[in-house]
Amino acid sequence: AQTVTQSQPEMSVQEAETVTLSCTYDTSESDYYLFWYKQPPSRQMILVIRQEAYKQQNATENRFSVNFQKAAKSFSLKISDSQLGDAAMYFCAYSGAQGAQKLVFGQGTRLTINP
Amino acid sequence: DTAVSQTPKYLVTQMGNDKSIKCEQNLGHDTMYWYKQDSKKFLKIMFSYNNKELIINETVPNRFSPKSPDKAHLNLHINSLELGDSAVYFCASSSSLTQYNEQFFGPGTRLTVL
């Protein structure tokens, strides 16, 4: 069974600085997808960024980028120029690549932005 | 336009009661899911339907019964509610035909059992 681990229950960063959230996963599959979801206090789950395992290039979405290390099974999220609106729970998630698959989530990291 | 909607958003009820949560998506997706987020914020899959057929049924008490009347709707009925059922329940949808299995989530239903 696949597992996802986020070892940082809480992180904090100064506004405008850069922060990296860690995620490791375990799977025996060779093709899969990885995601970072953001959950602000409104509790809405918002997709931040996704990565296909077969792509070596790291995904980037504006201030958000990932460091995907397939051999190490590591998938960290870097947030540059942190903004107050980035404060939220962040969840790393794994999905198989064949058809409709469940998301397997990590435990989450609560990110605080200090003004 | 709301993509994935859930009703109600909040539900407070007594132990032993039966309640339902409804979910609807207008994205044209063929797959829908129910996830449970517990008090520690941990999210776990409960069920998934593809074209009205149950395809994922995790280890969930049989007091929980999903029903999918059509591809756009997935309801969750809970019998004999227990204190431990208190959680936030999220509905999500995706298309099995797209490349990424990107799942779109509803706003969640916070269930409180007293």
Side-chain angles (χ1 to χ4, degrees):
Chain A
Q2 295 82 17
T3 58
V4 177
T5 302
Q6 293 177 249
S7 57
Q8 305 155 316
E10 295 183 353
M11 292 280 285
S12 63
V13 64
Q14 290 295 124
E15 196 177 359
E17 307 240 315
T18 296
V19 64
T20 299
L21 308 184
S22 301
C23 173
T24 58
Y25 59 94
D26 191 27
T27 183
S28 57
E29 298 175 332
S30 58
D31 198 13
Y32 48 86
Y33 302 118
L34 295 165
F35 306 86
W36 279 97
Y37 279 87
K38 170 184 176 181
Q39 187 179 40
S42 67
R43 80 168 181 249
Q44 179 69 52
M45 295 290 289
I46 302 165
L47 178 65
V48 174
I49 198 166
R50 63 169 177 243
Q51 174 80 42
E52 297 95 307
Y54 63 85
K55 285 190 178 177
Q56 290 188 336
Q57 186 173 8
N58 289 325
T60 298
E61 288 285 345
N62 301 314
R63 297 182 295 107
F64 298 87
S65 60
V66 299
N67 183 2
F68 173 49
Q69 303 287 329
K70 191 171 184 180
K73 295 181 181 170
S74 168
F75 182 61
S76 61
L77 174 69
K78 184 170 88 170
I79 307 174
S80 304
D81 185 25
S82 298
Q83 299 176 0
L84 294 177
D86 295 334
M89 284 288 289
Y90 285 82
F91 292 94
C92 179
Y94 170 102
S95 165
Q98 300 302 318
Q101 299 261 347
K102 65 183 181 185
L103 288 172
V104 177
F105 286 92
Q107 304 91 323
T109 296
R110 183 177 300 280
L111 178 65
T112 302
I113 311 295
N114 299 314
Chain B
D1 279 347
T2 303
V4 183
S5 59
Q6 292 179 231
T7 52
K9 289 204 174 122
Y10 297 92
L11 188 51
V12 181
T13 188
Q14 299 287 332
M15 249 187 347
N17 283 350
D18 303 339
K19 289 293 177 186
S20 291
I21 305 171
K22 295 187 176 182
C23 178
E24 177 180 2
Q25 54 94 4
N26 62 6
L27 297 168
H29 290 163
D30 59 357
T31 307
M32 297 184 73
Y33 311 80
W34 278 112
Y35 289 88
K36 178 180 179 181
Q37 185 173 39
D38 63 23
S39 58
K40 295 184 179 177
K41 301 290 189 184
F42 187 64
L43 277 150
K44 193 172 186 322
I45 185 73
M46 299 175 69
F47 302 103
S48 176
Y49 273 76
N50 177 258
N51 285 317
K52 301 195 296 175
E53 182 182 341
L54 182 66
I55 56 170
I56 296 174
N57 185 351
E58 294 286 304
T59 310
V60 177
N62 57 16
R63 299 182 294 103
F64 289 79
S65 52
K67 280 194 173 57
S68 181
D70 56 56
K71 285 198 301 185
H73 296 84
L74 179 61
N75 304 323
L76 182 64
H77 187 75
I78 315 171
N79 288 326
S80 303
L81 278 155
E82 300 176 358
L83 293 176
D85 297 332
S86 294
V88 178
Y89 293 84
F90 284 97
C91 177
S93 72
S94 70
S95 171
S96 62
L97 303 177
T98 60
Q99 185 178 1
Y100 305 112
N101 190 33
E102 180 178 343
Q103 296 187 17
F104 294 79
F105 284 77
T109 295
R110 180 178 292 282
L111 171 65
T112 302
V113 182
L114 304 174

